[in-house]
Structure formats: C-alpha cells, structure tokens
Amino acid sequence: MTQISAAARGNPAPVTQIDHARAGAVTAAMRIVAEKEGRDPEFIREGVAAGRIAIPANIRHASLSPEGVGGGLRTKVNVNLGISGDLACEAEEWKKVDVALELGAEAIMDLSNSGKTAAFRRALIEKSPAMIGTVPLYDAIGYLEKPLVGITAADFLDVVRAHAEDGVDFVTIHAGMNRCTIESFRETGRLTNIVSRGGSLIFAWMEATGNENPFYEFYDEVLAILHEHDVTISLGDAMRPGSTYDATDAGQIAELIEIGKLTRRAWDAGVQVMVEGPGHMALDEIAANMKLEKRLCHDAPFYVLGPLVCDIAPGYDHITAAIGGAVAASSGADFLCYVTPAEHLRLPDAADVREGLVATKIAAHAADIAKGVPGARDADNRMSDARRRVDWEGMFAEALDPVRAREYFESAPPSTEGTCTMCGQMCAMRTVNQIMDGLTVDLGKE
C-alpha cells in the first residue's frame, strides 16, 4: 500500500521530493532526472512517490545536478574519499574529487574522520554537481571533541543536524543494529565479526553505556532533521559481512529485517530512503540477496559495496568488487559503491580512485545493458561503429576513460597509419573496409 507522508496529508507544505511526488507534483529535480534517464517525468514521480526511486537533493546543495537512484534507472556509482588521522592531506582529497567528477561519478561520500572536517565538507558541497553523502557518526568525535563513551544521544543528533544544514544530500545512519540484531550476532558467531566502521563504533558505544543504539531509539528525531532539509537516509548495514564465510548469516538478515521496518517509518515521515548492503559474498549468493533486500525493504533503492566475491585479492579488490557489482546490479541493485586497489591495505590515493571508479563504472554499465535500461547500449554502438571505421578520435570520445585509452594508443605508434601495433597492416577492420570500398587489399610487409 502506498505510504502517505505527513506533509502530503495536508499538514505542513511539501518539503521533500517524496512529499511533492505524493502530492502529485513533478519537481524540477524530477524533470532533470527524467531527461537524463530518457524517461517520462511521470515515471519518475510515481517511482519517487512509491519509494522505488530516490533523488537525494538537499535543498541547500545549490550546485547539484540531480540524479535518480532506483528501479528502471541507470546504475549509479559512488566514490568514497576523505581525510583520515594518518593521512590528513586535503590537497590529495581534492585530487580525488577532481578524478571523481572527471570520470562522471554520480555521488561522492566524504568519509573524513579526523579533526574539524566541516570546512572541507562545505567546500565540497559548494563545488560538486555530484550528490554528496556522509556518515555523521564518523565526524562525531572530532566535531564534539569528546571520547566516544562521553557522547550522548543528543550529541549524535546534533552532528546529523550539522551535516544536514551544510547541504549533504544523503547520510548513512546505522539504525538497524539494535539489541535484537546484536543478540543474533552473538548467538551465531562470525569469522570476521563486525567490519563496518560505523557499526563497530555504535556497538562499542552500546557496550560501554548499556544503552540502545541512539539512532534506533531516537529514529523519529533523526527523520525530523532529515525531512527539514530533504536529506535522504541511507540505512547503513552495520552487520554487513566482511568475509564470504559470514555472508547471508543471521546477523546480516536480522538487521535487514529491521531496516525494512525503518524504511516504512522513513517514508511515513516524508523522508527518502536508500538501503545499504553487503559486503563480501560468494558469487552464487548475490542474486538471492538482491531479491531478499527488495522483498524485505519494499523495493527501496539498494546501495551495495561490491560485493567482493572472494577474500584473497588485496591489491586487486577493485576487480573482485567489480565482478560482484556487475552481478548485483544486474540482479536488482541500484547504486554501487566503488572499491579501489587499496581496499584493506591503506587510504587510496588519486590513482587508486581512478582505477576503482573505472572498474565500478564498467560493472554498472554492464549491468545496465543486461537489465535493458533505456539507452544503455547507445554508447557501445557508437564505439563499435567508430571501431569499424577505424576512427580513433571517435573511439576515445566514447571511452569510459578517454585519457587512459589515448595514452595506450599513443605509447606505441604504428608503422601503418590508422592502425595500432596489435595487428598493423593485418587489421581486420582495415582489410574489410578496403574490400567493401572496392579497393585492393594492401597486405605487404610492414
């Protein structure tokens, strides 16, 4: 049954995208998304109203070029970056931002977790046309200048409010890990325990204070803050598996059940929702997990990290994640968080960001072709036509990473003009083109 927000029931005026959609209005953001996706604006409005589509678009993010995340739309890709305690180089983070925007990432998550991070976050929001996400919990210790155990539930809400007021489009809130979820985790055990940074911090806080997860206990207050600024809640998977051994276990599923309930409560409050998912997962479990999330979370957009399909490839985890991401997105996931070669090893640098982002965009695009997303094959067809014509500039124009493609081509100049050093005069395209044009085929010595 369609949920009706308080705003749409005629109390306050509509504020959020879902408020407007349920009131029958097509917003400017919905029209932009419809144009980008080749969809009718009414298709977008209906999807937002039902919760199948989210358009994370804080009313304070003036530079945003809105994107839709959800059913029937292109798979979107997120880049994680941010300052850490060991590598607090803001200049390097701006290099990563530039790479993310150059290669067309639809979202950037600022996961800064050390010191006073507000200045960087605000500058990022001012500059970025991509949607911006954060995890307020990461910022709490530096923002409040308190040890974890000294932070109160009210303090956590203050940090959420600060991020919303800065203009963040979506926030990860680990509200699904409550005492019931933790009991499932304790009873069944895990090989890698809790690997979510946010989840581990909440677990530690709950253990130290004896209190319930503040984001679960005061969930309605969180939603009121997010509704005021039209911030989308990304319901974090604190119990995501950190190894293929732990995938689809009781802790993960117990949390997902709670997240499904929280999804409906958010929609009732007029707040858009995305649901975050695993993690590490064997290839044969991915499709079932995507269907399970859609079922338990009422077709809310699904945002997955990877999944990484094996655990033994440090230095190459952008590949393990891209394999899993392609299967996940083709099976229903809507939003892929990139993984870089540095995953599990160190903070990524700008070169790692490029590698991870391109790998994830390949996974997303491959899935969109498989799902039959409108227009997904268009660029591939243009690339294939350029290859037939041996039009190198045309090929570079369609490449996901035109800089890398051009660098490879120009690094080994061919002796036969128009070809490359793989085949030279034996280039199949060149040979058949000559025949089709009625020319004599030139296969002399190079």
Side-chain angles (χ1 to χ4, degrees), residues 116-416:
K116 296 298 186 182
T117 62
F120 176 74
R121 180 171 62 252
R122 290 167 186 163
L124 177 60
I125 292 166
E126 182 178 0
K127 171 179 179 175
S128 174
M131 51 188 167
I132 302 300
T134 60
V135 186
L137 180 63
Y138 293 176
D139 191 33
I141 295 173
Y143 178 86
L144 297 165
E145 296 183 328
K146 291 182 178 182
L148 179 65
V149 295
I151 298 175
T152 66
D155 289 333
F156 284 125
L157 294 181
D158 285 342
V159 182
V160 173
R161 184 176 293 105
H163 283 226
E165 290 176 350
D166 283 345
V168 168
D169 301 298
F170 65 98
V171 289
T172 294
I173 301 292
H174 298 88
M177 188 178 77
N178 55 25
R179 295 209 166 275
C180 178
T181 305
I182 289 173
E183 188 61 29
S184 293
F185 158 65
R186 287 188 182 281
E187 287 180 354
T188 56
R190 275 187 161 185
L191 181 60
T192 47
N193 290 324
I194 297 172
V195 300
S196 160
R197 181 162 53 185
S200 69
L201 291 172
I202 292 174
F203 178 70
W205 186 89
M206 292 172 68
E207 291 295 295
T209 65
N211 296 329
E212 179 59 278
N213 177 352
F215 296 110
Y216 178 79
E217 185 175 2
F218 298 100
Y219 188 60
D220 290 336
E221 287 83 349
V222 172
L223 295 177
I225 295 168
L226 302 185
H227 182 269
E228 182 181 353
H229 301 88
D230 196 2
V231 179
T232 298
I233 189 167
S234 189
L235 287 164
D237 52 338
M239 297 300 296
R240 72 172 180 267
S243 60
T244 55
Y245 183 91
D246 292 336
T248 325
D249 71 349
Q252 178 195 331
I253 302 307
E255 182 184 43
L256 189 61
I257 291 169
E258 294 297 329
I259 287 174
K261 299 173 187 176
L262 296 171
T263 295
R264 283 198 179 277
R265 287 175 60 186
W267 286 340
D268 281 343
V271 174
Q272 299 183 99
V273 177
M274 298 187 294
V275 174
E276 298 185 15
H280 292 236
M281 183 165 288
L283 203 61
D284 64 328
E285 294 182 60
I286 295 173
N289 268 262
M290 301 306 106
K291 290 180 173 61
L292 189 62
E293 183 277 341
K294 290 291 183 176
R295 172 65 172 166
L296 293 177
C297 299
H298 324 293
D299 284 329
F302 201 16
Y303 175 26
V304 299
L305 176 68
L308 282 72
V309 295
C310 66
D311 305 318
I312 60 168
Y316 301 92
D317 275 328
H318 59 311
I319 297 174
T320 65
I323 293 168
V327 176
S330 64
S331 301
D334 307 291
F335 193 12
L336 300 181
C337 185
Y338 89 152
V339 172
T340 78
E343 184 79 7
H344 300 112
L345 301 171
R346 62 166 169 79
L347 190 73
D349 60 22
D352 297 322
V353 169
R354 179 176 289 273
E355 293 293 322
L357 177 51
V358 172
T360 308
K361 286 184 72 69
I362 292 169
H365 183 67
D368 288 347
I369 291 174
K371 288 190 289 190
V373 172
R377 289 181 182 267
D378 291 354
D380 299 82
N381 292 340
R382 291 192 298 270
M383 173 67 85
S384 297
D385 181 63
R387 284 175 171 156
R388 176 184 59 80
R389 294 180 288 105
V390 201
D391 174 6
W392 294 102
E393 291 302 322
M395 294 182 229
F396 300 147
E398 300 301 333
L400 279 175
D401 185 353
V403 172
R404 174 69 61 85
R406 187 181 294 276
E407 285 176 351
Y408 269 98
F409 177 71
E410 293 181 350
S411 69
S415 57
T416 302

Side-chain angles (χ1 to χ4, degrees), residues 106-123:
E106 288 87 5
I108 297 173
M109 288 199 77
D110 174 16
L111 304 186
S112 296
N113 58 49
S114 178
K116 296 298 186 182
T117 62
F120 176 74
R121 180 171 62 252
R122 290 167 186 163

